[in-house]
Amino acid sequence: MDLLAEILEIAMLVCFGCSWPISVYKSIKIRTSVGKSAVFNILLIVGYVAGIVSKFLKMEPFMIANANDGLKKGIFIFALIMYFVNLAMITANLVLYYMNKNLDMKKAAEFANTNNNAEVVENVANEVETADNANAQTADNE
């Protein structure tokens, strides 16, 4: 039964593990944090760390109980390795989230500077012209 549990755990880790490189690739390619969540990634990191700690807590009794069974020990170690691989991918995803969020903020600032400055200058020019016209009319009336 221990062997089946280990195999199923590996299957779960491999299935999750296949999706994280895709997510990392997309984060690199699209260069935006839109649609991503830091909280989600942090929760996944906490979950994988808990899984790793659980494996370490089970390691000694499992290895002693299966001292003569290299296959079971190998599968156990492979599951532990898969936890670390998944943890590395999620951590990379979190780092990319913050890098892309920084890029998003820079893009937003550039957009605000390029678009709003022209509008502000135009609005100020219009206000000055309106004020000048009003002053000229007031001076003509006096």
Side-chain angles (χ1 to χ4, degrees):
M1 191 57 97
D2 286 339
L3 182 62
L4 180 59
E6 291 297 318
I7 291 171
L8 292 172
E9 185 176 20
I10 288 172
M12 182 260 320
L13 290 167
V14 168
C15 289
F16 285 140
C18 289
S19 62
W20 303 136
I22 295 167
S23 181
V24 167
Y25 173 76
K26 284 176 124 180
S27 292
I28 292 169
K29 187 175 178 183
I30 61 174
R31 298 177 58 95
T32 184
S33 62
V34 174
K36 301 284 183 166
S37 169
V39 173
F40 177 74
N41 285 318
I42 291 168
L43 287 172
L44 288 169
I45 288 170
V46 169
Y48 281 121
V49 168
I52 290 168
V53 170
S54 170
K55 292 302 270 183
F56 277 118
L57 292 174
K58 293 177 190 174
M59 182 179 278
E60 187 177 355
F62 188 87
M63 293 301 180
I64 291 170
N66 297 292
N68 297 328
D69 194 340
L71 177 64
K72 285 184 181 180
K73 287 167 43 174
I75 289 174
F76 185 90
I77 297 298
F78 184 70
L80 184 59
I81 290 168
M82 289 305 299
Y83 272 109
F84 280 108
V85 169
N86 281 306
L87 180 62
M89 288 288 121
I90 291 297
T91 303
N93 219 8
L94 184 63
V95 168
L96 285 167
Y97 169 82
Y98 284 112
M99 289 172 60
N100 287 340
K101 187 169 180 109
N102 189 31
L103 285 174
D104 289 344
M105 289 170 52
K106 285 179 182 177
K107 287 176 193 173
E110 287 174 13
F111 180 77
N113 287 338
T114 56
N115 290 329
N116 289 343
N117 283 345
E119 290 175 16
V120 168
V121 169
E122 186 178 326
N123 288 341
V124 169
N126 288 338
E127 287 177 17
V128 168
E129 185 179 331
T130 303
D132 285 347
N133 290 340
N135 289 341
Q137 286 177 354
T138 305
D140 287 346
N141 291 338
E142 293 177 348

